[in-house]
Short mmCIF file of all heavy atoms in Angstrom, two decimals:
data_model
loop_
_atom_site.label_atom_id
_atom_site.label_comp_id
_atom_site.label_asym_id
_atom_site.label_seq_id
_atom_site.Cartn_x
_atom_site.Cartn_y
_atom_site.Cartn_z
N ARG L 20 110.40 84.20 105.23
CA ARG L 20 109.52 83.73 104.16
C ARG L 20 108.64 84.87 103.67
O ARG L 20 108.45 85.05 102.47
CB ARG L 20 108.66 82.56 104.65
CG ARG L 20 107.93 81.83 103.48
CD ARG L 20 107.16 80.62 103.99
NE ARG L 20 107.99 79.85 104.89
CZ ARG L 20 107.53 79.23 105.98
NH1 ARG L 20 106.24 79.30 106.29
NH2 ARG L 20 108.34 78.57 106.75
N PHE L 21 108.11 85.67 104.60
CA PHE L 21 107.29 86.81 104.21
C PHE L 21 108.10 87.77 103.34
O PHE L 21 107.64 88.25 102.31
CB PHE L 21 106.74 87.56 105.43
CG PHE L 21 105.81 88.68 105.08
CD1 PHE L 21 104.44 88.48 104.98
CD2 PHE L 21 106.30 89.96 104.81
CE1 PHE L 21 103.58 89.52 104.62
CE2 PHE L 21 105.44 91.00 104.47
CZ PHE L 21 104.08 90.78 104.37
N GLU L 22 109.33 88.05 103.76
CA GLU L 22 110.20 88.95 103.00
C GLU L 22 110.46 88.42 101.59
O GLU L 22 110.43 89.19 100.63
CB GLU L 22 111.53 89.15 103.73
CG GLU L 22 112.44 90.17 103.06
CD GLU L 22 113.77 90.33 103.76
OE1 GLU L 22 113.90 89.92 104.92
OE2 GLU L 22 114.69 90.89 103.12
N ALA L 23 110.68 87.11 101.46
CA ALA L 23 110.91 86.52 100.15
C ALA L 23 109.67 86.62 99.28
O ALA L 23 109.74 87.00 98.10
CB ALA L 23 111.32 85.05 100.31
N TYR L 24 108.49 86.31 99.87
CA TYR L 24 107.24 86.43 99.10
C TYR L 24 107.03 87.85 98.63
O TYR L 24 106.58 88.10 97.50
CB TYR L 24 106.04 86.01 99.95
CG TYR L 24 105.88 84.53 100.19
CD1 TYR L 24 105.14 84.04 101.27
CD2 TYR L 24 106.46 83.58 99.33
CE1 TYR L 24 104.97 82.67 101.49
CE2 TYR L 24 106.32 82.22 99.54
CZ TYR L 24 105.57 81.77 100.63
OH TYR L 24 105.41 80.43 100.84
N HIS L 25 107.34 88.82 99.52
CA HIS L 25 107.14 90.23 99.15
C HIS L 25 108.09 90.64 98.03
O HIS L 25 107.71 91.35 97.10
CB HIS L 25 107.38 91.12 100.38
CG HIS L 25 107.16 92.57 100.12
ND1 HIS L 25 105.96 93.09 99.69
CD2 HIS L 25 107.99 93.64 100.25
CE1 HIS L 25 106.04 94.39 99.54
NE2 HIS L 25 107.27 94.75 99.87
N ARG L 26 109.33 90.16 98.07
CA ARG L 26 110.30 90.47 97.02
C ARG L 26 109.85 89.88 95.68
O ARG L 26 109.99 90.51 94.63
CB ARG L 26 111.67 89.91 97.38
CG ARG L 26 112.43 90.77 98.39
CD ARG L 26 113.74 90.15 98.79
NE ARG L 26 114.62 89.97 97.64
CZ ARG L 26 115.73 89.23 97.66
NH1 ARG L 26 116.09 88.62 98.77
NH2 ARG L 26 116.47 89.12 96.59
N ILE L 27 109.28 88.67 95.73
CA ILE L 27 108.78 88.05 94.49
C ILE L 27 107.58 88.85 93.95
O ILE L 27 107.48 89.09 92.75
CB ILE L 27 108.41 86.59 94.73
CG1 ILE L 27 109.65 85.78 95.14
CG2 ILE L 27 107.78 85.97 93.47
CD1 ILE L 27 109.33 84.41 95.73
N TYR L 28 106.70 89.26 94.86
CA TYR L 28 105.56 90.09 94.46
C TYR L 28 106.07 91.36 93.74
O TYR L 28 105.56 91.73 92.68
CB TYR L 28 104.70 90.49 95.67
CG TYR L 28 103.93 91.76 95.45
CD1 TYR L 28 102.74 91.73 94.70
CD2 TYR L 28 104.38 93.00 95.91
CE1 TYR L 28 102.05 92.91 94.45
CE2 TYR L 28 103.69 94.16 95.67
CZ TYR L 28 102.53 94.11 94.93
OH TYR L 28 101.85 95.27 94.66
N LEU L 29 107.06 92.03 94.34
CA LEU L 29 107.58 93.27 93.75
C LEU L 29 108.19 93.01 92.37
O LEU L 29 108.05 93.83 91.46
CB LEU L 29 108.63 93.90 94.68
CG LEU L 29 108.12 94.51 95.97
CD1 LEU L 29 109.27 94.95 96.85
CD2 LEU L 29 107.15 95.67 95.70
N ALA L 30 108.85 91.88 92.22
CA ALA L 30 109.47 91.54 90.94
C ALA L 30 108.42 91.33 89.86
O ALA L 30 108.65 91.60 88.69
CB ALA L 30 110.34 90.29 91.09
N TYR L 31 107.26 90.82 90.27
CA TYR L 31 106.18 90.56 89.30
C TYR L 31 105.25 91.76 89.11
O TYR L 31 104.51 91.83 88.13
CB TYR L 31 105.32 89.39 89.78
CG TYR L 31 105.87 88.02 89.46
CD1 TYR L 31 105.96 87.03 90.45
CD2 TYR L 31 106.25 87.68 88.16
CE1 TYR L 31 106.44 85.77 90.16
CE2 TYR L 31 106.72 86.41 87.87
CZ TYR L 31 106.82 85.44 88.87
OH TYR L 31 107.30 84.20 88.58
N GLN L 32 105.28 92.72 90.05
CA GLN L 32 104.24 93.77 90.12
C GLN L 32 104.00 94.48 88.81
O GLN L 32 102.85 94.63 88.38
CB GLN L 32 104.63 94.79 91.21
CG GLN L 32 103.58 95.84 91.45
CD GLN L 32 104.16 96.97 92.30
OE1 GLN L 32 104.96 97.78 91.85
NE2 GLN L 32 103.74 97.03 93.55
N SER L 33 105.04 94.95 88.13
CA SER L 33 104.85 95.69 86.89
C SER L 33 105.22 94.82 85.69
O SER L 33 105.43 95.35 84.59
CB SER L 33 105.72 96.96 86.89
OG SER L 33 107.06 96.61 87.06
N TYR L 34 105.28 93.52 85.91
CA TYR L 34 105.77 92.60 84.88
C TYR L 34 104.71 91.55 84.52
O TYR L 34 104.47 91.30 83.34
CB TYR L 34 107.05 91.94 85.41
CG TYR L 34 107.62 90.81 84.60
CD1 TYR L 34 108.02 91.00 83.28
CD2 TYR L 34 107.77 89.53 85.16
CE1 TYR L 34 108.57 89.95 82.55
CE2 TYR L 34 108.32 88.49 84.42
CZ TYR L 34 108.71 88.71 83.12
OH TYR L 34 109.25 87.68 82.40
N ARG L 35 104.10 90.95 85.55
CA ARG L 35 103.10 89.91 85.29
C ARG L 35 102.08 89.92 86.44
O ARG L 35 102.32 89.37 87.51
CB ARG L 35 103.77 88.55 85.17
CG ARG L 35 102.84 87.44 84.73
CD ARG L 35 103.61 86.14 84.51
NE ARG L 35 104.51 86.23 83.38
CZ ARG L 35 105.56 85.40 83.22
NH1 ARG L 35 105.82 84.50 84.14
NH2 ARG L 35 106.32 85.51 82.14
N ALA L 36 100.92 90.55 86.22
CA ALA L 36 99.96 90.78 87.29
C ALA L 36 99.40 89.48 87.86
O ALA L 36 99.17 89.40 89.08
CB ALA L 36 98.82 91.66 86.78
N ASP L 37 99.16 88.48 87.02
CA ASP L 37 98.55 87.24 87.54
C ASP L 37 99.49 86.53 88.50
O ASP L 37 99.04 85.90 89.48
CB ASP L 37 98.12 86.31 86.39
CG ASP L 37 99.24 85.97 85.43
OD1 ASP L 37 100.29 86.63 85.49
OD2 ASP L 37 99.06 85.06 84.61
N SER L 38 100.80 86.62 88.29
CA SER L 38 101.76 86.04 89.21
C SER L 38 101.92 86.93 90.44
O SER L 38 102.08 86.43 91.56
CB SER L 38 103.13 85.87 88.55
OG SER L 38 103.04 84.95 87.48
N ALA L 39 101.87 88.23 90.26
CA ALA L 39 101.99 89.16 91.39
C ALA L 39 100.88 88.92 92.40
O ALA L 39 101.14 88.91 93.62
CB ALA L 39 101.95 90.60 90.89
N ILE L 40 99.67 88.70 91.92
CA ILE L 40 98.54 88.51 92.85
C ILE L 40 98.69 87.22 93.65
O ILE L 40 98.28 87.14 94.80
CB ILE L 40 97.19 88.61 92.12
CG1 ILE L 40 96.08 88.96 93.12
CG2 ILE L 40 96.85 87.33 91.37
CD1 ILE L 40 94.82 89.45 92.46
N VAL L 41 99.29 86.20 93.05
CA VAL L 41 99.53 84.93 93.76
C VAL L 41 100.43 85.20 94.97
O VAL L 41 100.13 84.74 96.09
CB VAL L 41 100.20 83.89 92.82
CG1 VAL L 41 100.71 82.70 93.65
CG2 VAL L 41 99.22 83.42 91.78
N TYR L 42 101.48 85.98 94.78
CA TYR L 42 102.43 86.22 95.88
C TYR L 42 101.90 87.27 96.86
O TYR L 42 102.25 87.23 98.05
CB TYR L 42 103.80 86.53 95.32
CG TYR L 42 104.47 85.26 94.90
CD1 TYR L 42 104.32 84.76 93.61
CD2 TYR L 42 105.19 84.50 95.83
CE1 TYR L 42 104.89 83.54 93.25
CE2 TYR L 42 105.76 83.29 95.46
CZ TYR L 42 105.61 82.82 94.18
OH TYR L 42 106.16 81.60 93.83
N ALA L 43 101.06 88.18 96.40
CA ALA L 43 100.41 89.11 97.32
C ALA L 43 99.50 88.33 98.27
O ALA L 43 99.43 88.62 99.47
CB ALA L 43 99.63 90.16 96.56
N ASN L 44 98.79 87.33 97.72
CA ASN L 44 97.91 86.51 98.55
C ASN L 44 98.71 85.60 99.49
O ASN L 44 98.30 85.34 100.62
CB ASN L 44 96.98 85.67 97.67
CG ASN L 44 95.78 86.47 97.19
OD1 ASN L 44 95.15 87.18 97.98
ND2 ASN L 44 95.46 86.39 95.91
N LYS L 45 99.87 85.10 99.03
CA LYS L 45 100.75 84.33 99.92
C LYS L 45 101.20 85.19 101.12
O LYS L 45 101.25 84.72 102.25
CB LYS L 45 101.97 83.80 99.15
CG LYS L 45 101.70 82.60 98.25
CD LYS L 45 102.99 82.19 97.54
CE LYS L 45 102.76 81.05 96.58
NZ LYS L 45 102.59 79.74 97.25
N CYS L 46 101.54 86.44 100.82
CA CYS L 46 101.90 87.36 101.90
C CYS L 46 100.74 87.54 102.88
O CYS L 46 100.93 87.55 104.09
CB CYS L 46 102.29 88.73 101.30
SG CYS L 46 103.89 88.77 100.49
N MET L 47 99.53 87.69 102.32
CA MET L 47 98.36 87.90 103.17
C MET L 47 98.11 86.69 104.07
O MET L 47 97.88 86.81 105.29
CB MET L 47 97.11 88.19 102.31
CG MET L 47 95.82 88.33 103.09
SD MET L 47 95.85 89.78 104.17
CE MET L 47 95.47 91.06 102.99
N ASP L 48 98.14 85.50 103.49
CA ASP L 48 97.92 84.28 104.28
C ASP L 48 98.95 84.12 105.37
O ASP L 48 98.61 83.77 106.52
CB ASP L 48 97.95 83.04 103.35
CG ASP L 48 96.78 83.00 102.38
OD1 ASP L 48 95.77 83.71 102.63
OD2 ASP L 48 96.88 82.29 101.36
#
């Protein structure tokens, strides 16, 4: 699950910052 969240974060990172931060926080939690 962590790996999937991280992959989603990377996909959003340079594309949509507000979505990227959601998945970065999911990784943190």
Side-chain angles (χ1 to χ4, degrees):
R20 192 176 315 144
F21 184 92
E22 185 182 343
Y24 285 159
H25 182 59
R26 282 177 59 192
I27 297 166
Y28 156 79
L29 289 174
Y31 278 130
Q32 186 193 71
S33 59
Y34 172 61
R35 188 175 292 159
D37 55 348
S38 297
I40 202 164
V41 168
Y42 282 89
N44 279 314
K45 283 180 183 285
C46 286
M47 177 64 81
D48 292 341

